[in-house]
Amino acid sequence: YPLIEEPQPSDASKVKLSGDGIGNNVKTGVPATIKVDASEAGPGDVAITIKSPSGSKVPVKIIDNEDGTYDIQFTPEEVGNHNIDVEFDGDKVPGAPLTVPVKPGIDANKVKCAGEGLDNP
């Protein structure tokens, strides 16, 4: 008799999140990455929604690393708490939804330089 493999059920509770995109050092205008490790969770797709403080959706790029892990890249444009919701195969992953504070990035147009070295080359 042929051996029939039962499909492995997906288990969103085994998904792990990490990366600079869920820390306290996320800044506007600076790309951030959330690493999603679903290698122990079975088959399934990752879905993510990031909402800015004003309620608009932040565009995300999902990169499938072909090893059960994914990199989610985004660049926040608003200062304040962003709501990040991550699902695996339709179920929320541990810790989701989470709130990530976004701080102002550096605006190079507002940087001023002064000092003797600039006055007397």
Side-chain angles (χ1 to χ4, degrees), residues 29-54:
V30 179
T33 302
I34 300 170
K35 297 196 172 289
V36 179
D37 183 350
S39 59
E40 308 274 319
D45 292 319
V46 170
I48 184 160
T49 305
I50 302 177
K51 286 196 178 163
S52 68
S54 67

Side-chain angles (χ1 to χ4, degrees), residues 2-56:
L3 181 64
I4 299 172
E5 283 191 42
E6 289 289 317
Q8 181 183 3
S10 59
D11 185 353
S13 71
K14 293 183 177 176
V15 175
K16 297 179 186 86
L17 302 177
S18 63
D20 61 7
I22 58 172
N24 290 321
N25 205 25
V26 180
K27 293 187 167 91
T28 58
V30 179
T33 302
I34 300 170
K35 297 196 172 289
V36 179
D37 183 350
S39 59
E40 308 274 319
D45 292 319
V46 170
I48 184 160
T49 305
I50 302 177
K51 286 196 178 163
S52 68
S54 67
S56 62

Side-chain angles (χ1 to χ4, degrees), residues 50 56-61 73-77:
I50 302 177
S56 62
K57 278 189 174 182
V58 176
V60 297
K61 180 179 181 185
Q73 297 176 337
F74 68 102
T75 304
E77 299 298 331

